[in-house]
């Protein structure tokens, strides 16, 4: 998302509507909504690479973080399918359960890793079930082995794999509710403190952090500060050192993980 100083009304697009729990596939098979986001590891906004070593609670591929003992993994993409190979620790995703009522849950995936729901027992794909009490977050967690096409769904039986988003664009938008990089560009001829409201995708609540990810081109600028953070905007305050300042390709990262 590109926020331009010259257009203060420029804001992130609204998210597309989510699919219903019950989905019909082109093959005629019945499937159910996947509660996991980025379930096929296609989105990698943090651009992790090589051997990924994560401390407990640290994120790698979007929406997936290390378990309590940390996690190490590698990954490869072949014919459009990304496979994770967990070599140590566990990899997990927390699901926002605020709007999900009490229900049984089933977990499935492709690969040799074993998985579990919440703090339940680990098992093989298709044999792992659990439940949520409703209105609380819950987790899917995987131990060492290969892993792709993960799916957590309502019910006691696993159905054919599908992503939560209907397209790569929708899946990225879902991820950006939790992690979003915003590029900012702007300029003015006035030698005075300049402020701009920058908008991002609202999810509910103030972000955990907004940080400068990439320092852009700064001309006649003394400092840039982040102020007045809300659940969907923040103010970028620029202190110039002369007239005609401009800022190009500055990237800010908004994180609001579970």
């Amino acid at each position: 998302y590109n926020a331009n100083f010259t257009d203060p009304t420029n804001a992130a697009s609204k998210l597309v509507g989510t699919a219903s729990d019950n989905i019909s596939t082109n093959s005629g098979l019945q499937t159910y909504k996947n509660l996991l986001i980025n379930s096929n590891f296609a989105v990698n906004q943090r651009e992790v690479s090589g051997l990924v070593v994560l401390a407990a609670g640290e994120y790698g591929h979007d929406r997936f973080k290390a378990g309590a003992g940390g996690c190490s993994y590698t990954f490869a993409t072949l014919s459009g399918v990304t496979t994770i190979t967990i070599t140590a620790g566990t990899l997990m995703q927390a699901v926002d359960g605020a709007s999900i009522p009490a229900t049984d849950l089933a977990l499935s995936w492709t690969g040799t890793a074993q998985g579990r729901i919440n703090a339940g027992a680990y098992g093989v794909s298709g044999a792992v079930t659990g439940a949520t009490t409703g209105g609380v977050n819950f987790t899917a967690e995987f131990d060492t082995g290969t892993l792709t096409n993960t799916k957590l769904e309502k019910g006691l039986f696993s159905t054919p794999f599908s992503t939560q988003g209907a397209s790569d664009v929708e899946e990225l938008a879902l991820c950006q509710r939790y992690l979003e990089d915003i590029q900012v560009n702007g300029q003015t001829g006035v030698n005075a403190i300049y402020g701009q409201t920058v908008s991002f995708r609202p999810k509910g609540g103030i972000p955990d952090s907004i940080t400068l990810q990439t320092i852009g081109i700064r001309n006649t600028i003394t400092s840039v500060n982040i102020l007045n953070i809300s659940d969907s905007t923040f103010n970028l305050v620029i202190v110039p050192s002369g007239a005609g300042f401009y800022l190009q390709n500055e990237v800010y990262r908004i994180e609001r993980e579970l």
Side-chain angles (χ1 to χ4, degrees), residues 35-37 59 63 65 92-103 105 116-120 130-141 152 177-178 203-204 208 256-258:
L35 300 175
L36 299 178
I37 296 172
Y59 282 82
R63 299 297 304 120
K65 64 180 178 179
M92 65 189 298
Q93 182 172 142
V95 177
D96 186 352
S99 62
I100 299 177
T103 183
L105 298 167
R116 68 176 180 177
I117 297 171
N118 293 325
T132 176
T133 57
V136 297
N137 297 345
F138 48 94
T139 60
E141 187 169 9
L152 182 63
R177 296 179 65 208
Y178 302 91
K203 178 188 174 290
D208 299 326
R256 187 163 39 193
E257 299 284 4
L258 297 177

Side-chain angles (χ1 to χ4, degrees), residues 3-57:
N4 294 305
F5 286 163
T6 53
D7 181 12
T9 63
N10 192 6
S13 302
K14 294 181 179 180
L15 292 179
V16 296
T18 56
S20 63
D21 289 339
N22 195 343
I23 304 168
S24 296
T25 65
N26 291 334
S27 64
L29 296 174
Q30 195 76 0
T31 188
Y32 291 86
K33 177 183 174 180
N34 195 341
L35 300 175
L36 299 178
I37 296 172
N38 196 28
S39 54
N40 59 356
F41 304 103
V43 182
N44 181 16
Q45 291 190 90
R46 293 178 179 86
E47 298 183 338
V48 297
S49 61
L51 175 61
V52 183
V53 180
L54 306 174

Side-chain angles (χ1 to χ4, degrees), residues 26 29 57 75 82 84 89 99 101-102 111 124 151 158 173 182 188 199 237 248 251:
N26 291 334
L29 296 174
F75 63 96
T82 297
I84 300 283
S99 62
V124 298
K151 187 175 186 182
S158 297
I182 295 179
T188 182
S199 300
V237 179
Q248 292 180 345
V251 178

